[in-house]
Structure formats: structure tokens, C-alpha cells
Amino acid sequence: MHLTVNFAKNLKVLALIGTAFCATAANAQNTVITADKMIDVLTGKTVDYPAVFVGADGRITSIADARTVKSGSDVTHINLSGKTILPGLIDMHVHLDGPADIGGYRGLEFTDSFWGMTAVGSAQAMLKAGFTTVRNVGSGNRNDIGLKQAIENAYATGPRIVPAGYALGATGGHCDSTFLPPSLEKSGKEEGIADSEDELRYQVRRQRKYGAEVIKVCATGGVFSRNTEPGQQQLSERELRVIADEAHQWGLRVAAHAHGGDGIKAAIKAGIDTIEHASLVDDEGIKLAAARPRPVWFSMDIFNTDYTQSEGAKNGVLEDNLRKDREVAQIQRDNFRKAHKAGVKMVFASDAGVMPHALVGGQFKVMVEYGMTPLEAIQAATRNAAQALGREKDVGAIAVGRFADIIAVDGDPLANVRELESVDVVVKGGKIVN
């Protein structure tokens, strides 16, 4: 069977998606995806007329020149003529159960299960935006783990999720619940909260036990919590080292929320794998990150302030939180430029949930404005992110053995990275999903 798709017309896309799914499911057919151009993020080169062959397991079996090969009658053909394809994008810092338009005390309007329900729509929005893999760094009620299971078992649609479960932190710190009076506290500590090395070690094991595939820890205060400042260090280097060592022993990687310079340096020295935000990093911290033998990646969300400052107040975000956001925003962007120039390894991270999940592609433009080439920004969301996740065999490139997670755009994102703000076609595991 041959399936030719004219993606210039949205109605035809919708009609043909069902056809492609039925053919693949019924006959376990192989698939070939053809396009005019392909961006090879591993080499940085553009390949003309690629033909990407996909096996029944959704992984790429071979890549050839579409002008010299013929597919058999039992191969489903996804024809992306006139388009450029590149790997499905990876966002390393999202909160799927955090609607951006609900801030401050407005969250108390909703029942506990509400947040998990919103995550379903957020996942669909991210997949539609071209993000076929996301790392969810902290959720309530382990909503990210439940949603991952629902997607994998075809009860929901969304990207591949690398979940953290509950984030770890200190009592009264950024990862703790800091908006309520003591009369409304739970009888024990909030899930993930710990105040000794043994408690932190236990929390790593506990999150893993219930499905976490990455450990998230809050090393400093934050912007959108109460009674913390972004520069405050709230866990010691020794405590962070316990978390990193325990997680690495179990084969997990660790992401540390760290705005402040001292907390960033403590996390780097402790062996943390990714530094989230890195807003107030100083020159010493940049040097430590660039030189550390075990790779450390900066995961800097330099776009979402455009949304929070324009929409935050009407969404219920408190003025104190908006004040902190204003204070760190430009410093973070300037430090993004400095870190990139110094050779620090960097990944794409939006902090979606602070901003709408559908808009995260807008960050590519800002990354280029602050020093990256379009190719480097794309690699941050593909090759680099896969390396930071430790999943180079699965995602992050259009390469043999990896999942056929592919997006297509009309123009050339290497010439205009804003092409990625509106992705035309999304393929996950060799099947059209948008």
C-alpha cells in the first residue's frame, strides 16, 4: 500500500492519519518516510531526498537516497515532498500538570485530581508542537508517571515522558508547599521533602520505586514559590552528593533546580547531571561546568519570562513572584550567552507550565538571539538532550536503531529557526500523530 500525503491541506492530513494507522496496525507493515531534505543533527549536514525506512517496532532500519530506491507494495509510504525533516524535539524541563493560566492561590479552587486531568491536554499540545520526548521534572500525585503509562498503553496521546515523580527538597524550600498556613499542613512532611542525608537517600529510592526515571532536586530557592529567594542555597553540597551518588547507583540521572551561584557550584561539585535554570551562575560556576570530567548540562529556560510578565498577574501570580521573575530574567539570558560562549554543554528547556505548553517552540528564537546558531539550538533539543538523558540509542537523531520520531516543516530551520514555532507534521514511532 502506498500512502501519499499532501500536507499543505489540513483536511487531507486528518483523513489520511486514520488510513496510515489502520494499515500499520492491521498488516504490521514497514514504513518509508520521504522528504526533500533532512537535517542530520549528528553531523550538522543537510541531506537531500532522504528515504527513512521504519520497522514494525517503530525504529529506523535504514536511511537511503529516495531517488535510488523503490519501496515494495507492502510498505506504507509517508510522502513529505517539499518539506524538511528533522528529529522529534526534546524538552528537558516541563511540568505537564501545571496549567500556565492558573497561578498563586488560584490553584486552591480545584480538586486534587484536576491537575492530572490537565496534563493530558498539555501532553497533546507538546506533541503537536513537535516535542516527541519530554522530561517532566516534578509533579503532584505522580501525575507524570500515570500519564506516561496511559500514553504507552494507548489510553492517551502524547510524547515519550521521562518522569521524576515528586521533586526532592528541604522543609520550607522551593520544592516544599510554602503557600499554606501551618494549620493546613499535612500530619507529616510533604512527599519528597527531607532534612537529612538519610532522608534524602530514602527519597531517591522511594521516587524510583514508584516509577521515577530521573531525580529532581531543588538546590536553591525559586521564583514561583513563597518565602524563598532564587539565590538562596537550600541543600548543602554534601546533601546533593548523597542524592547524586544514590541516583547514579540505581542508574538514574539527577536534575537540580538551581538559580543561585553557590547552589549551582555545589550541584556541579556534587555530580549533578543537569543544572536547571542556572540564572545567577557566576564565572567560577561556568568554569566548573565547562571543565567537569563527568558531563554537566545547563538547562536554561530563557523564553518563558515573555509570557509570565505579560500574563502572570491576570493568571493570579503574586506580585512577589513576578518581582523575582523580573529580577532574574535578563541576568539569566546574559548568562546563557556567557555559558554557551565558554563551551558549557547545553540542552533545550522551556519550563512549560510556567508558560503554555503549545508555545515552547518560541524559545529557539531566543536561544539564537543569545548566541547560538540555529543548528546549535536544534542540537540542544535533539542530540544534546538525548545525551543528557542517556538515551542516545532511542531518540535525538534520525539514525538507524533509534525511534522514528520525526518532524517536518515547510522551510529551512537552519536559515530561519522560527520555522520550529509551527511544525507541520509530527511522526512518532513511524506513525503520523499530527
Side-chain angles (χ1 to χ4, degrees):
M1 173 185 176
H2 289 271
L3 175 63
T4 301
V5 184
N6 178 0
F7 289 103
K9 297 181 180 180
N10 291 333
L11 290 178
K12 286 189 177 182
V13 174
L14 294 174
L16 289 166
I17 286 174
T19 304
F21 270 115
C22 291
T24 304
N27 304 313
Q29 293 175 329
N30 290 342
T31 299
V32 61
I33 303 166
T34 59
D36 278 16
K37 295 182 181 298
M38 178 185 83
I39 297 175
D40 184 343
V41 297
L42 300 180
T43 66
K45 297 180 180 179
T46 298
V47 177
D48 291 332
Y49 303 108
V52 182
F53 287 86
V54 185
D57 61 356
R59 291 182 182 266
I60 297 170
T61 58
S62 63
I63 301 172
D65 187 326
R67 295 168 295 185
T68 63
V69 298
K70 293 183 179 179
S71 58
S73 59
D74 61 341
V75 175
T76 298
H77 183 198
I78 299 177
N79 183 355
L80 303 180
S81 177
K83 298 190 181 296
T84 298
I85 60 173
L86 56 158
L89 304 171
I90 303 171
D91 192 331
M92 292 288 283
H93 190 123
V94 306
H95 300 283
L96 293 172
D97 60 347
D101 58 351
I102 301 175
Y105 289 102
R106 283 199 56 219
L108 300 179
E109 300 174 20
F110 304 93
T111 193
D112 297 332
S113 58
F114 167 80
W115 309 100
M117 301 301 102
T118 68
V120 176
S122 299
Q124 292 173 341
M126 293 217 67
L127 187 62
K128 185 176 181 179
F131 289 83
T132 53
T133 299
V134 300
R135 187 179 64 165
N136 198 91
V137 282
S139 68
N141 297 319
R142 297 189 174 85
N143 291 324
D144 55 349
I145 296 170
L147 181 55
K148 172 188 172 67
Q149 294 171 342
I151 291 170
E152 290 180 345
N153 287 280
Y155 289 100
T157 301
R160 305 181 196 279
I161 298 175
V162 180
Y166 284 89
L168 279 53
T171 295
H174 179 65
C175 285
D176 198 3
S177 177
T178 57
F179 281 87
L180 300 178
S183 59
L184 295 180
E185 280 189 346
K186 295 180 180 179
S187 58
K189 293 180 180 179
E190 296 284 342
E191 179 86 32
I193 301 306
D195 295 300
S196 69
E197 293 174 23
D198 284 344
E199 288 183 356
L200 289 166
R201 184 178 291 109
Y202 166 74
Q203 284 296 336
V204 172
R205 295 176 180 178
R206 180 173 174 80
Q207 300 315 312
R208 177 193 167 277
K209 175 182 178 180
Y210 292 112
E213 296 176 12
V214 63
I215 298 299
K216 165 72 177 300
V217 58
C218 288
T220 75
V223 170
F224 293 102
S225 52
R226 184 173 175 270
N227 196 30
T228 75
E229 289 295 322
Q232 292 173 335
Q233 186 173 344
Q234 61 187 37
L235 288 175
S236 68
E237 179 184 332
R238 184 167 175 173
E239 289 172 318
L240 291 167
R241 189 181 304 279
V242 166
I243 293 169
D245 289 349
E246 187 65 31
H248 293 159
Q249 175 179 284
W250 289 96
L252 302 180
R253 300 195 177 192
V254 185
H257 161 106
H259 284 285
D262 290 341
I264 292 168
K265 287 181 282 191
I268 293 170
K269 293 175 182 177
I272 300 294
D273 299 290
T274 64
I275 308 300
E276 310 304 303
H277 311 298
S279 305
L280 307 176
V281 65
D282 57 24
D283 290 344
E284 182 184 0
I286 289 174
K287 290 179 181 178
L288 284 171
R292 200 181 78 175
R294 179 187 175 96
V296 59
W297 304 81
F298 277 11
S299 176
M300 300 178 73
D301 52 322
I302 59 171
F303 176 54
N304 57 47
T305 297
D306 291 353
Y307 176 83
T308 54
Q309 288 301 311
S310 65
E311 305 295 327
K314 70 177 71 173
N315 293 339
V317 179
L318 304 182
E319 171 54 31
D320 189 52
N321 300 123
L322 294 174
R323 183 265 307 170
K324 290 187 283 185
D325 189 40
R326 288 192 297 271
E327 289 176 354
V328 304
Q330 190 58 47
I331 298 172
Q332 185 193 39
R333 289 180 173 186
D334 292 338
N335 282 332
F336 177 94
R337 186 192 299 276
K338 288 174 64 175
H340 170 256
K341 186 175 181 180
V344 174
K345 295 178 181 296
M346 306 186 83
V347 295
F348 184 101
S350 71
D351 206 0
V354 171
M355 59 173 286
H357 297 81
L359 302 182
V360 296
Q363 178 161 294
F364 287 105
K365 170 178 171 285
V366 184
M367 295 168 78
V368 171
E369 287 178 357
Y370 283 86
M372 284 189 170
T373 65
L375 176 62
E376 288 173 330
I378 292 168
Q379 288 174 327
T382 53
R383 181 197 67 181
N384 294 10
Q387 291 175 2
L389 288 173
R391 302 197 178 193
E392 303 98 315
K393 294 182 179 180
D394 295 327
V395 295
I398 301 176
V400 173
R402 305 200 197 197
F403 287 114
D405 295 349
I406 294 170
I407 64 173
V409 294
D410 284 331
D412 179 5
L414 296 181
N416 178 15
V417 79
R418 298 195 68 176
E419 289 286 339
L420 299 178
E421 294 177 21
S422 181
V423 172
D424 299 304
V425 184
V426 181
V427 174
K428 180 185 172 190
K431 298 177 182 179
I432 301 170
V433 293
N434 182 65

